[in-house]
Amino acid sequence: MAHHRRARLFSVVAAAALLVLSVGPAAALSPDGKALLSLLPGGAPSPVLPSWDPKAATPCSWQGVTCSPQSQVVSLSLPNTFLNLSSLPPPLATLSSLQLLNLSTCNISGTIPPSYASLSALTGDIPDELGVLSGLQFLLLHSNHLTGGIPRSLANLSALQVLCVQDNLLNGTIPASLGALTALQQFRVGGNPALSGPIPASLGALSNLTDFGAAATALSGPIPEEFGSLVNLQTLAL
């Protein structure tokens, strides 16, 4: 009898061990994810941002978050989200790959912490993933150290009104596809000495354009005749 009891006990213990091994430990949230959670002083999950799951391995599927292929946060866009913060949380400044931060109309008060100065010299390429932010109206990435080309995917930002990428280290050409941004009012690419090629004639379809700046670049060729259709154009800096 004792032998049988020991055998049954061993079976129960072994089954429990197998269950633990099969489930395994939960993946820890990445540092970028932990930094984002600082926006939820009441803790997560939050009714304001229900998709922000602290049990996730990365925040890449969270509302308003765009990640690079390496699962690093490159964009945080939460306009009109009632965060109700007394100040911007310092941990947010540790998002080392952040290239876009939009917290407009989020009911945030107080001063900007000094640690946010670390976000003032963005480097690297402008990520193609920004093209999925279909409601984006303002993209201000000027006066940094951004390299690479202007992504063609930005042509998907149908609500975009301001695109400022001047004073960086961008190269390549201005994508002709950006002529689809019919809501665009300001387009500034100047101060990128390696930006070359012609000014796309398709930009003549930007009927709401008031400002186009492309001085201090390597753009070449004539001003497209199609620019004569830009009746709202007030500033043309070449």
Side-chain angles (χ1 to χ4, degrees):
M1 291 291 293
H3 172 74
H4 290 303
R5 284 196 298 271
R6 286 195 297 271
R8 285 196 298 271
L9 179 61
F10 175 79
S11 298
V12 172
V13 172
L18 286 172
L19 179 61
V20 171
L21 288 174
S22 64
V23 173
L29 181 60
S30 67
D32 278 8
K34 293 177 180 177
L36 290 177
L37 288 182
S38 65
L39 286 169
L40 302 176
S46 164
V48 177
L49 294 168
S51 66
W52 285 33
D53 182 6
K55 297 179 182 178
T58 74
C60 299
S61 63
W62 293 0
Q63 176 186 337
V65 177
T66 303
C67 290
S68 69
Q70 294 75 35
S71 298
Q72 293 179 307
V73 175
V74 295
S75 169
L76 176 61
S77 183
L78 296 172
N80 304 304
T81 303
F82 193 75
L83 297 175
N84 195 27
L85 297 173
S86 59
S87 65
L88 283 170
L92 208 61
T94 65
L95 298 174
S96 58
S97 296
L98 189 67
Q99 298 186 8
L100 172 66
L101 178 62
N102 184 356
L103 297 176
S104 58
T105 321
C106 286
N107 198 34
I108 299 174
S109 57
T111 59
I112 298 176
S115 57
Y116 278 68
S118 63
L119 298 178
S120 63
L122 303 177
T123 61
D125 295 353
I126 300 174
D128 288 328
E129 290 83 357
L130 291 181
V132 304
L133 301 175
S134 58
L136 192 68
Q137 298 182 23
F138 303 91
L139 183 54
L140 308 175
L141 299 174
H142 56 88
S143 304
N144 286 292
H145 303 292
L146 298 175
T147 55
I150 300 173
R152 291 177 173 83
S153 63
L154 297 185
N156 298 324
L157 303 178
S158 57
L160 196 65
Q161 298 178 26
V162 177
L163 175 57
C164 292
V165 293
Q166 72 270 27
D167 298 327
N168 278 290
L169 301 171
L170 300 176
N171 54 40
T173 61
I174 298 176
S177 59
L178 297 186
L181 298 176
T182 54
L184 198 64
Q185 299 175 22
Q186 296 183 34
F187 185 19
R188 298 177 180 176
V189 297
N192 287 289
L195 190 67
S196 59
I199 299 173
S202 60
L203 299 187
L206 302 178
S207 57
N208 290 300
L209 195 67
T210 61
D211 296 272
F212 178 66
T217 65
L219 294 176
S220 58
I223 299 174
E225 294 181 3
E226 289 79 0
F227 270 42
S229 301
L230 301 178
V231 295
N232 291 309
L233 191 64
Q234 300 175 13
T235 302
L236 178 63
L238 299 174

